[in-house]
Amino acid sequence: MWSVRPFFNSDTPALAKVWASHTTAYNSRSVCPVSAWDNAILSKPYFKSEELLVAEDSKGEIVGWLHFSGPPEGMGSSKGNSEISIDSKSLILHQLCVRTGEDESAIAQQLLRKLVELSEKSGAVRVLGLGAFDQSFFYLGFGDGDGMLGVTSQDTRLLGWLKQSGLCPLLPTECWELPLAHFRPPMDRAMLAVLRSSTISRVLEEF
């Protein structure tokens, strides 16, 4: 079995390792190294250690984690980037990562049950999972952890865990991709003709 506790400052290397294991499972290139944890996530003034839940096995090894919060203080209610309304009675699930293994689903469910338990105690009436748009600030710029898009369809493990816990899709989003391997910047054909018909030589100055 596993125990769930709040985050400790010494946990960041293990959290980065679990992130890498989780995203590698669906061939994602998203990374969140220790330096990013220290400089971009934990340094935010509204970060609270009790809102970052860590799952440990019997050996004390971190096998999963879940990060949630209410809307940042002073933000009030918001409709985010769409018709999704976020108020003080909502909790935001920013990220859930579990290392790969036969027991990964059970670990995820234990973390999500703890989230539901804490939400009931706080008086929240709704949990928004991974996609709270302009009020999900912690992982902006970290690829698949970015709360602007929600859950990528490739992360079937996470989608399954959320559905098992009773969460349901609320708003579909799209991410368009343009491969740039063969991209060439546009050029002015007239200027190209001038360049090709011109030569540059060095003129020695005589004194």
Side-chain angles (χ1 to χ4, degrees):
M1 289 299 293
W2 312 274
S3 59
V4 177
R5 61 164 176 80
F7 163 81
F8 296 154
N9 287 335
S10 58
D11 291 335
T12 48
L15 300 185
K17 183 178 179 180
V18 172
W19 177 297
S21 175
H22 180 95
T23 55
T24 301
Y26 59 98
N27 300 318
S28 170
R29 297 182 180 180
S30 172
V31 294
C32 189
V34 174
S35 58
W37 277 98
D38 292 336
N39 298 323
I41 300 173
L42 306 182
S43 62
K44 287 183 168 59
Y46 42 84
F47 171 79
K48 299 177 181 178
S49 60
E50 63 270 21
E51 294 176 338
L52 178 51
L53 304 178
V54 172
E56 285 184 329
D57 61 15
S58 57
K59 298 179 181 179
E61 180 180 352
I62 295 177
V63 293
W65 55 269
L66 179 153
H67 192 183
F68 74 97
S69 75
E73 294 181 7
M75 291 297 295
S77 61
S78 169
K79 283 188 176 298
N81 198 29
S82 69
E83 65 268 24
I84 296 179
S85 178
I86 304 171
D87 54 31
S88 59
K89 293 294 184 180
S90 300
L91 281 186
I92 303 169
L93 170 57
H94 300 288
Q95 188 59 282
L96 169 61
C97 287
V98 179
R99 61 103 176 95
T100 54
E102 295 180 354
D103 53 359
E104 60 186 27
S105 183
I107 297 170
Q109 291 307 310
Q110 184 164 343
L111 285 166
L112 287 166
R113 284 195 297 271
K114 186 65 174 179
L115 172 62
V116 172
E117 175 187 329
L118 293 174
S119 65
E120 291 175 347
K121 289 181 179 179
S122 69
V125 297
R126 185 176 63 161
V127 174
L128 290 171
L130 290 94
F133 300 109
D134 63 350
Q135 297 217 20
S136 185
F137 302 103
F138 286 99
Y139 303 95
L140 293 179
F142 291 97
D144 301 335
D146 193 326
M148 296 298 289
L149 280 177
V151 185
T152 172
S153 59
Q154 295 177 322
D155 194 352
T156 55
R157 299 161 67 235
L158 180 54
L159 287 170
W161 301 335
L162 296 176
K163 289 179 181 178
Q164 290 176 26
S165 294
L167 281 85
C168 58
L170 184 59
L171 179 70
T173 58
E174 291 183 350
C175 179
W176 291 64
E177 180 178 344
L178 175 64
L180 299 177
H182 303 290
F183 173 77
R184 295 292 182 271
M187 298 291 291
D188 186 324
R189 292 185 179 276
M191 183 59 67
L192 281 175
V194 171
L195 291 174
R196 290 170 179 170
S197 61
S198 302
T199 59
I200 299 175
S201 60
R202 181 180 179 185
V203 178
L204 297 178
E205 296 182 1
E206 296 183 0
F207 296 94

